[in-house]
Amino acid sequence: MRITRYFATCLLLVASAARAQQPDTIRSRSKADSIAKAVRDSVELMNALGAAVADTTQRPTVPLRPQGGSTNPRLLPDFSAVGDLVGDLSPKGSTQPDHSRLGVREVELSVQAVVDPYFRGDVFLGISDLEKISIEQAFLTTTSLPNQLELKIGRFLLPFGKQNLTHRHDLHAIEYPYVLQKLLSDDGLKGTGLWGSRVFAPFGFFQEIQLTAIDRISPATDGLTTAEDVNKSLGGLGFSARLRNYVDVSEAANVELSFSAMTGKRDQPLDATYTTLVKGGSNSQFVPRDVNATIARQSTFGVDFTYRWRPLQQGLYESFILQSEVMHQRNERNPALPVAECPFGAGTCGVPAYAGPARDYTGAYVFARYQTGQRRFIGARYDYVQNPETNGRTLNAGSVYLEWFPSEFTKLMAGYEGLKSADATLSNRLLLQAVFSMGPHKPHPF
Amino acid sequence: MIRRIHILLLAAALVYAPRVASAQLRVVTSTTDLYDIAKAVGGNKITATHIGEGYQDPHFIEAKPSFVLQLRSADVWAFVGLDLEIGWMPLLLEGARNTRIRQGGSGYLDVSTVIPVLDRPQGNIDRSMGDVHAGGNPHYWLDPQNGRRIARLFKTKFTQLDPTNSSAYDANARAFEARLNAAEKGWQADLAAIKGKPVVAWHTSWRYFAEYNGMNIVAFMEPKPGVPPSPSHLYGVIQTVKRTGAKAIIMEPFYDRKVADLVSKQTGIKILILPPSVGGIPGAVPDYFSLMRYDMSQLANAVR
Ligand SMILES: [Zn+2]
């Protein structure tokens, strides 16, 4: 508000000074006229809107349904599109995966509707130059189960930790925290399967348990081939659990402390490519296959904490969020290895060595955001993660953000990040982001 | 054997039977105004709670999980409608997992369905016009005639869900209207003082109030609904105030008063912070009657 006030004061001073000096110049008068006209227009807009209701001065007698019929007589689903544009002005070149300085990071299309008396449907498609088109989410949600139960079927953002459930373009930073990027996924970890949840409050505050069983805990890694499918046995499926605990501290402040865990199997590299005999085709024959990966269990545990403050009466202009997540990932050290076959079927020739992670990884972030005006926020984040891509050497980052919402449908962000990776060199990143969304007004995620 | 089946059926019926009629209806409303009228009509036959507070901007209530707990056992969910609650209600209704209050459920009560709506846009609209609500202006409770409509709607809904107490609901609704009629007589002098007087309003939330009392809104502080005042728009408002001799800027307690102070400093116009809802000024407006009386007398004093 301060900036608006400042500009308004300046403008008023300038305007009154101008009038004092040259009270009758045509320019200042025409400017005043045009502004006064803008005000009249805004009043006229209201009146025009009001004219829709026939004769508002006469007070109607009780109408049964004065609004007439349905607002959506053809039962169309809600369509919307989100554009996520990122500019990378980092001094040593772009740090984006596609090396763009100015890029469209993603366009998200969504179709949402109540499907029938039992289900709601949500489909989100992600389109990007790198991934082309992908099914980000597509799930049914039950709407009529008893006992505060809810079931989702399909692909969804996995309920693990706090920020993973937020779409990347809805974050109050430009990218996910590094601990999510490195231990989960750089654009939100999704799972495909079943999600069951139940709300309960035995201690008087809100609690929710969210359980999932999903096809696998991570998508297949490019370039890795395993002898058997990761999910061949049911034990290879992924499972996750999350317990949410939410407490109102006061009318203005509240706290969420939640715990998450997930486990499943995924592909991990071998030290070389081997040929193994695997059961193939429908006739139960063993066929040779070039294999460079095996299957190992990976389990991740997380704790997340969010403190929010927003005084009800001043809530349009003032708020504060403090958020933190800690994650720990455990990796199986000695998974079963495929037995390599010699060429031309001469029996067993040797055993490949495991080249997957030989250690566990831990990471965390702390994020804070303060509202400085009706539509302006400043944020800062500190990141720490033992990076699996550099064999667990630590990555530290500190970043600050300016966030501005011209309206509820557009967001502009600027971010600076200082990043210290394994070799201890500091690199600077300067990012800009513009997000716009078209379509029906969606609820604001809490 | 048959007897055993009967016992099983009886047990199942007991477990799954709908809530017995003698229990109180559990009513949750989105705003304090609906809450107060629901309480007036329901009396001691219902329990009522509300989500928003009267001193809070009803467009921007947060979907706190604790509200889910209020809603999960509700028999009636009464809301203003016309997209006023669009930013938070869908999350709460999904979170509550309560089929009674979902759209299509017996307790899903869109109060706007009985209101003659103002500012319903005709023809094409888009968001260049600001936060326009496609269904029309949702701030309808500041017209006592709409207060009566809300009371009658509650009477009908409570009677439908709880017919054994229908006579109580009917009597309460009549008593509410009688009190409102009496209160209305009390502010006739204020109405006469207000009629035709030029005022500035912050948001379109005062349109129904103006329709009722005849005040003439010559400018809005917001250039478009929901869009914060810009410097150039404020300059225009100042010109309009000077031209029309507008007497007061009417604004809710949750908007930034300093912006109105700017206009006031330039023109001498009074700033009138009026509660738009029950509880909007703690202690001063505990119910619908006192809210209407307070706003009416404050405004009359300001423009007299
Ligand atoms: Zn409004």
Side-chain angles (χ1 to χ4, degrees):
Chain A
M1 225 52 247
R2 227 163 281 151
I3 293 179
T4 314
R5 211 159 66 223
Y6 170 75
F7 279 126
T9 316
C10 291
L11 200 126
L12 289 168
L13 287 176
V14 170
S16 46
R19 264 176 304 151
Q21 277 167 10
Q22 20 164 240
D24 275 320
T25 63
I26 296 165
R27 258 182 89 184
S28 74
R29 192 188 279 171
S30 71
K31 187 180 179 206
D33 286 351
S34 70
I35 293 171
K37 183 180 177 298
V39 173
R40 278 198 301 280
D41 284 350
S42 78
V43 173
E44 262 160 32
L45 173 66
M46 305 305 164
N47 293 341
L49 294 175
V53 176
D55 195 5
T56 47
T57 52
Q58 214 176 11
R59 228 154 281 141
T61 51
V62 184
L64 197 60
R65 270 197 76 94
Q67 291 182 56
S70 149
T71 50
N72 182 13
R74 301 181 66 193
L75 304 180
L76 291 172
D78 287 346
F79 292 97
S80 50
V82 176
D84 180 358
L85 319 176
V86 170
D88 192 325
L89 304 182
S90 304
K92 292 188 175 166
S94 170
T95 57
Q96 299 303 305
D98 64 355
H99 304 288
S100 63
R101 281 289 199 183
L102 300 168
V104 179
R105 184 163 64 171
E106 190 179 51
V107 169
E108 182 188 272
L109 300 178
S110 66
V111 183
Q112 297 172 288
V114 172
V115 177
D116 61 20
Y118 317 106
F119 296 103
R120 213 172 73 91
D122 293 84
V123 173
F124 294 85
L125 301 178
I127 305 169
S128 66
D129 293 338
L130 279 182
E131 285 193 38
K132 306 305 171 199
I133 188 161
S134 62
I135 303 170
E136 295 288 316
Q137 301 189 70
F139 56 88
L140 279 176
T141 307
T142 59
T143 54
S144 51
L145 289 185
N147 296 318
Q148 267 82 57
L149 284 169
E150 185 181 82
L151 213 60
K152 289 185 204 283
I153 312 159
R155 179 172 302 168
F156 36 75
L157 283 165
L158 195 70
F160 184 94
K162 186 74 188 169
Q163 289 205 357
N164 193 62
L165 281 167
T166 305
H167 290 218
R168 187 170 56 182
H169 54 78
D170 280 336
L171 293 172
H172 301 299
I174 296 169
E175 294 168 347
Y176 282 111
Y178 281 105
V179 61
L180 273 77
Q181 291 189 44
K182 302 302 179 190
L183 301 188
L184 301 180
S185 158
D186 55 8
D187 62 348
L189 180 62
K190 288 110 190 169
T192 309
L194 271 176
W195 164 334
S197 66
R198 184 166 193 275
V199 170
F200 51 100
F203 307 109
F205 61 86
F206 175 93
Q207 290 185 291
E208 183 181 5
I209 181 92
Q210 301 168 323
L211 302 170
T212 75
I214 55 174
D215 188 53
R216 44 191 296 171
I217 55 165
S218 75
T221 312
D222 277 344
L224 291 188
T225 306
T226 50
E228 291 177 342
D229 289 333
V230 167
N231 56 4
K232 182 179 176 191
S233 75
L234 287 182
L237 294 177
F239 300 93
S240 77
R242 173 168 166 81
L243 174 67
R244 296 179 65 199
N245 305 282
Y246 170 94
V247 181
D248 280 321
V249 180
S250 69
E251 190 182 77
N254 52 71
V255 165
E256 180 177 344
L257 177 65
S258 300
F259 306 92
S260 306
M262 62 187 266
T263 186
K265 293 189 173 177
R266 58 170 300 167
D267 46 10
Q268 296 285 10
L270 298 170
D271 65 344
T273 299
Y274 292 84
T275 302
T276 63
L277 294 182
V278 296
K279 221 176 199 177
S282 53
N283 49 4
S284 297
Q285 285 202 330
F286 283 84
V287 293
R289 182 169 172 189
D290 286 337
V291 164
N292 61 1
T294 187
I295 299 167
R297 178 162 295 281
Q298 189 174 70
S299 305
T300 311
F301 306 90
V303 181
D304 60 88
F305 168 84
T306 305
Y307 169 83
R308 292 161 192 278
W309 173 79
R310 185 176 178 243
L312 294 191
Q313 185 162 328
Q314 294 78 33
L316 283 180
Y317 308 99
E318 264 190 301
S319 65
F320 175 72
I321 291 180
L322 178 69
Q323 192 166 66
S324 180
E325 290 189 53
V326 181
M327 290 183 193
H328 177 70
Q329 187 174 78
R330 287 168 171 263
N331 286 292
E332 186 178 0
R333 312 289 161 82
N334 300 301
L337 299 177
V339 177
E341 301 294 327
C342 297
F344 315 113
T348 305
C349 261
V351 175
Y354 181 56
R359 54 165 294 168
D360 301 337
Y361 304 112
T362 302
Y365 73 86
V366 183
F367 172 78
R369 184 178 86 139
Y370 180 70
Q371 186 174 0
T372 58
Q374 187 164 4
R375 285 166 172 183
R376 288 187 308 276
F377 299 83
I378 51 173
R381 192 174 73 201
Y382 171 72
D383 280 274
Y384 162 89
V385 66
Q386 295 169 338
N387 188 357
E389 289 158 17
T390 54
N391 199 23
R393 293 168 75 183
T394 56
L395 180 160
N396 291 285
S399 46
V400 289
Y401 305 92
L402 297 174
E403 190 179 24
W404 179 49
F405 294 87
S407 75
E408 286 184 72
F409 305 93
T410 46
K411 173 173 83 169
L412 301 174
M413 283 193 85
Y416 161 78
E417 181 180 274
L419 181 74
K420 215 167 157 188
S421 48
D423 54 3
T425 54
L426 179 78
S427 55
N428 297 302
R429 302 178 70 207
L430 192 58
L431 302 177
L432 303 172
Q433 185 190 26
V435 176
F436 60 95
S437 68
M438 297 174 291
H441 191 308
K442 290 192 182 175
H444 309 290
F446 180 75
Chain B
M1 183 66 200
I2 286 171
R3 218 183 118 178
R4 206 180 283 168
I5 290 173
H6 276 166
I7 290 171
L8 276 176
L9 282 177
L10 187 68
L14 281 177
V15 170
Y16 291 102
R19 296 181 344 91
V20 276
S22 64
Q24 288 174 304
L25 275 182
R26 283 166 293 197
V27 179
V28 183
T29 70
S30 69
T31 65
T32 49
D33 313 284
L34 296 181
Y35 161 82
D36 186 63
I37 299 176
K39 253 186 16 185
V41 174
N44 59 7
K45 307 297 180 195
I46 67 163
T47 60
T49 56
H50 51 89
I51 301 287
E53 297 294 343
Y55 44 86
Q56 174 180 24
D57 186 343
H59 305 87
F60 295 100
I61 292 172
E62 288 184 296
K64 294 183 196 176
S66 43
F67 295 142
V68 162
L69 297 184
Q70 283 185 42
L71 285 168
R72 63 181 188 151
S73 56
D75 300 305
V76 176
W77 161 240
F79 61 101
V80 172
L82 301 171
D83 290 352
L84 182 70
E85 295 96 345
I86 198 165
W88 50 276
M89 184 175 102
L91 290 177
L92 290 187
L93 289 191
E94 188 191 331
R97 297 140 192 223
N98 176 350
T99 49
R100 289 190 298 273
I101 60 165
R102 276 189 197 264
Q103 185 157 15
S106 59
Y108 179 89
L109 191 59
D110 179 350
V111 176
S112 73
T113 53
V114 296
I115 303 294
V117 176
L118 294 181
D119 304 346
R120 163 112 40 86
Q122 277 199 322
N124 258 333
I125 52 166
D126 65 29
R127 293 217 171 92
S128 67
M129 300 159 83
D131 268 348
V132 281
H133 297 307
N137 188 325
H139 305 275
Y140 50 74
W141 56 89
L142 282 176
D143 178 342
Q145 189 56 30
N146 287 338
R148 291 187 184 90
R149 294 192 174 100
I150 297 169
R152 286 174 212 152
L153 177 67
F154 278 131
K155 182 192 80 178
T156 310
K157 178 51 74 177
F158 296 166
T159 304
Q160 176 202 336
L161 295 181
D162 178 21
T164 51
N165 287 315
S166 64
S167 55
Y169 298 136
D170 193 53
N172 291 344
R174 280 170 201 280
F176 175 85
E177 290 201 32
R179 270 190 79 186
L180 194 50
N181 294 344
E184 246 184 323
K185 290 208 179 81
W187 60 61
Q188 287 307 313
D190 289 341
L191 274 179
I194 293 167
K195 191 160 182 159
K197 295 282 163 56
V199 297
V200 174
W202 187 288
H203 179 60
T204 57
S205 41
W206 301 98
R207 285 273 293 121
Y208 291 86
F209 194 52
E211 283 296 315
Y212 174 66
N213 63 26
M215 68 182 181
N216 178 19
I217 301 178
V218 294
F220 290 99
M221 293 288 281
E222 292 179 336
K224 290 170 182 177
V227 176
S230 61
S232 63
H233 179 74
L234 282 184
Y235 178 69
V237 170
I238 288 169
Q239 302 308 309
T240 308
V241 170
K242 286 181 175 166
R243 202 183 65 242
T244 59
K247 294 274 199 309
I249 298 175
I250 302 173
M251 60 184 287
E252 285 92 337
F254 44 77
Y255 289 122
D256 187 5
R257 184 197 160 113
K258 290 160 204 136
V259 180
D261 280 337
L262 270 175
V263 178
S264 171
K265 235 175 254 163
Q266 296 283 319
T267 60
I269 192 172
K270 277 179 227 163
I271 295 172
L272 195 55
I273 296 180
L274 290 185
S277 283
V278 171
I281 291 181
V285 287
D287 59 32
Y288 187 69
F289 307 107
S290 56
L291 171 72
M292 289 303 302
R293 197 178 301 124
Y294 182 91
D295 284 356
M296 213 65 84
S297 68
Q298 293 284 312
L299 177 59
N301 289 341
V303 300
R304 239 179 215 125

Coordinates of all heavy atoms in Angstrom, one line a residue, chain B residues 246-273:
Chain B
A246 N -20.2 15.5 -2.8 CA -20.5 14.3 -2.1 C -20.1 14.4 -0.6 O -19.1 15.1 -0.3 CB -19.7 13.1 -2.7
K247 N -20.9 13.8 0.3 CA -20.7 14.1 1.7 C -19.8 13.1 2.4 O -19.2 13.4 3.5 CB -22.1 14.1 2.4 CG -23.0 15.2 1.9 CD -22.7 16.5 2.7 CE -23.8 17.5 2.7 NZ -24.3 17.9 1.4
A248 N -19.8 11.9 1.9 CA -19.0 10.8 2.7 C -18.5 9.8 1.8 O -19.1 9.5 0.7 CB -20.0 10.2 3.7
I249 N -17.4 9.2 2.2 CA -16.8 8.0 1.6 C -17.2 6.8 2.5 O -16.8 6.8 3.6 CB -15.3 8.0 1.5 CG1 -14.9 9.2 0.6 CG2 -14.8 6.7 0.9 CD1 -13.3 9.3 0.5
I250 N -18.0 5.9 1.9 CA -18.5 4.8 2.7 C -17.5 3.6 2.4 O -17.3 3.2 1.3 CB -19.9 4.4 2.3 CG1 -20.8 5.6 2.6 CG2 -20.4 3.2 3.2 CD1 -22.2 5.3 2.0
M251 N -16.9 3.1 3.5 CA -16.0 2.0 3.3 C -16.1 1.0 4.4 O -16.5 1.3 5.5 CB -14.6 2.5 3.1 CG -14.0 3.2 4.3 SD -12.4 3.9 4.0 CE -11.4 2.4 4.0
E252 N -15.7 -0.3 4.1 CA -15.7 -1.3 5.1 C -14.5 -1.2 6.0 O -13.5 -0.7 5.5 CB -15.7 -2.7 4.4 CG -17.0 -3.1 3.8 CD -17.2 -2.7 2.3 OE1 -16.5 -1.7 1.9 OE2 -18.0 -3.3 1.6
P253 N -14.5 -1.8 7.2 CA -13.4 -1.6 8.1 C -12.1 -2.4 7.6 O -11.0 -2.1 8.1 CB -13.9 -2.2 9.4 CG -15.1 -3.0 9.1 CD -15.7 -2.4 7.9
F254 N -12.3 -3.3 6.6 CA -11.1 -4.0 6.2 C -10.3 -3.4 5.0 O -9.4 -4.0 4.6 CB -11.5 -5.5 5.9 CG -12.7 -5.7 5.1 CD1 -12.7 -5.5 3.8 CD2 -13.9 -6.1 5.7 CE1 -13.9 -5.7 3.0 CE2 -15.1 -6.3 5.0 CZ -15.1 -6.1 3.6
Y255 N -10.8 -2.3 4.5 CA -10.0 -1.6 3.5 C -9.1 -0.6 4.0 O -9.2 -0.2 5.2 CB -11.0 -0.9 2.5 CG -11.7 -1.9 1.6 CD1 -13.1 -1.9 1.6 CD2 -11.0 -2.9 0.8 CE1 -13.8 -2.8 0.8 CE2 -11.7 -3.8 0.0 CZ -13.1 -3.7 0.0 OH -13.8 -4.6 -0.7
D256 N -8.1 -0.2 3.2 CA -7.0 0.7 3.7 C -7.5 2.1 3.8 O -7.7 2.8 2.8 CB -5.8 0.6 2.7 CG -4.6 1.3 3.2 OD1 -4.7 1.9 4.4 OD2 -3.6 1.4 2.5
R257 N -7.7 2.6 5.0 CA -8.2 3.9 5.2 C -7.4 5.0 4.7 O -7.9 6.1 4.4 CB -8.5 4.0 6.8 CG -9.1 5.3 7.1 CD -9.0 5.7 8.6 NE -9.3 7.1 8.6 CZ -10.3 7.6 9.2 NH1 -11.1 6.9 9.9 NH2 -10.5 8.9 9.1
K258 N -6.1 4.8 4.7 CA -5.1 5.9 4.3 C -5.4 6.4 2.9 O -5.2 7.6 2.6 CB -3.7 5.4 4.4 CG -3.2 5.1 5.8 CD -2.0 4.2 5.9 CE -1.9 3.5 7.2 NZ -1.6 2.1 7.0
V259 N -5.9 5.5 2.0 CA -6.2 5.9 0.6 C -7.4 6.9 0.7 O -7.4 7.9 0.0 CB -6.5 4.7 -0.2 CG1 -6.9 5.1 -1.6 CG2 -5.4 3.7 -0.3
A260 N -8.4 6.6 1.5 CA -9.5 7.4 1.6 C -9.1 8.8 2.3 O -9.6 9.8 1.9 CB -10.6 6.8 2.5
D261 N -8.2 8.7 3.2 CA -7.7 9.9 3.9 C -7.1 10.9 2.8 O -7.3 12.1 3.0 CB -6.5 9.6 4.9 CG -7.1 9.1 6.2 OD1 -8.3 9.4 6.5 OD2 -6.4 8.3 6.9
L262 N -6.5 10.4 1.8 CA -5.9 11.2 0.7 C -7.0 12.1 0.1 O -6.9 13.3 -0.1 CB -5.3 10.4 -0.3 CG -3.8 10.0 -0.2 CD1 -3.5 9.1 -1.3 CD2 -3.0 11.3 -0.3
V263 N -8.1 11.4 -0.2 CA -9.2 12.1 -0.9 C -9.9 13.1 0.1 O -10.2 14.2 -0.3 CB -10.3 11.0 -1.4 CG1 -11.5 11.7 -2.0 CG2 -9.7 10.1 -2.3
S264 N -10.0 12.6 1.3 CA -10.6 13.5 2.4 C -9.7 14.8 2.6 O -10.3 15.9 2.7 CB -10.6 12.7 3.7 OG -11.0 13.6 4.7
K265 N -8.4 14.6 2.6 CA -7.6 15.8 2.8 C -7.7 16.8 1.7 O -7.7 18.0 1.9 CB -6.1 15.3 2.8 CG -5.4 15.7 4.1 CD -3.9 15.2 4.1 CE -3.8 14.0 5.1 NZ -2.7 13.2 4.9
Q266 N -7.9 16.3 0.5 CA -8.1 17.2 -0.7 C -9.4 17.9 -0.8 O -9.6 18.9 -1.4 CB -7.8 16.5 -2.0 CG -6.4 15.9 -2.1 CD -5.4 17.0 -2.5 OE1 -5.7 17.8 -3.3 NE2 -4.3 17.0 -1.9
T267 N -10.5 17.2 -0.2 CA -11.8 17.7 -0.4 C -12.6 18.0 0.8 O -13.7 18.6 0.8 CB -12.6 16.6 -1.2 OG1 -12.6 15.4 -0.4 CG2 -12.0 16.3 -2.5
G268 N -12.1 17.5 2.0 CA -12.9 17.7 3.2 C -14.0 16.7 3.4 O -14.8 16.8 4.3
I269 N -14.1 15.7 2.5 CA -15.2 14.7 2.6 C -15.0 13.9 3.8 O -13.9 13.6 4.2 CB -15.3 13.9 1.3 CG1 -16.5 13.0 1.2 CG2 -14.0 13.0 1.2 CD1 -16.7 12.3 -0.1
K270 N -16.1 13.5 4.4 CA -16.0 12.6 5.6 C -15.7 11.2 5.2 O -16.2 10.7 4.2 CB -17.3 12.7 6.4 CG -17.5 13.9 7.3 CD -18.8 13.8 8.0 CE -19.4 15.2 7.9 NZ -20.8 15.2 8.2
I271 N -15.0 10.5 6.1 CA -14.8 9.1 5.9 C -15.7 8.3 6.8 O -15.6 8.5 8.1 CB -13.3 8.7 6.1 CG1 -12.5 9.4 5.0 CG2 -13.2 7.1 6.0 CD1 -11.0 9.2 5.3
L272 N -16.5 7.4 6.3 CA -17.5 6.7 7.1 C -17.2 5.3 7.0 O -17.4 4.6 6.0 CB -18.9 7.1 6.6 CG -20.1 6.7 7.4 CD1 -19.9 7.4 8.8 CD2 -21.3 7.2 6.7
I273 N -16.6 4.7 8.1 CA -16.3 3.3 8.1 C -17.5 2.6 8.6 O -17.9 2.7 9.8 CB -15.1 3.0 8.9 CG1 -13.9 3.7 8.2 CG2 -14.8 1.5 9.0 CD1 -12.6 3.5 8.9

